[in-house]
Amino acid sequence: MSDYLTYVWRPVAGGRHAFPIAATKVPLGATVEAYCGAESEASQLHDRSEVDWVREKSCMTCWRILADRS
């Protein structure tokens, strides 16, 4: 098991999705892909509010993919 963060959850349009940690380093105008295949602009991974977290549901496909990795 890694001692370092390998993925992040971010509330983007359509749900709270899990992204590889490398997605947070992508230039803001680029597109990033969640574990489930959902795409979002990289800028959507930054500066999300607590309200965004509350309003979006977790993507269960991302959840299952990450659960199966362990």
Side-chain angles (χ1 to χ4, degrees):
M1 183 161 183
S2 174
D3 291 338
Y4 300 101
L5 188 63
T6 59
Y7 59 89
V8 294
W9 285 90
R10 291 292 188 265
V12 296
R16 192 170 34 244
H17 294 277
F19 294 85
I21 196 67
T24 63
K25 311 284 190 238
V26 172
L28 297 182
T31 300
V32 292
E33 186 174 324
Y35 282 94
C36 69
E39 293 184 343
S40 177
E41 284 190 27
S43 62
Q44 294 294 309
L45 302 185
H46 303 281
D47 301 324
R48 304 309 296 196
S49 72
E50 288 184 32
V51 172
D52 295 329
W53 278 89
V54 172
R55 287 184 176 162
E56 298 292 346
K57 293 182 180 181
S58 292
C59 171
M60 295 313 294
T61 301
C62 285
W63 186 271
R64 281 189 287 278
I65 290 168
L66 293 174
D68 288 345
R69 289 177 44 185
S70 55

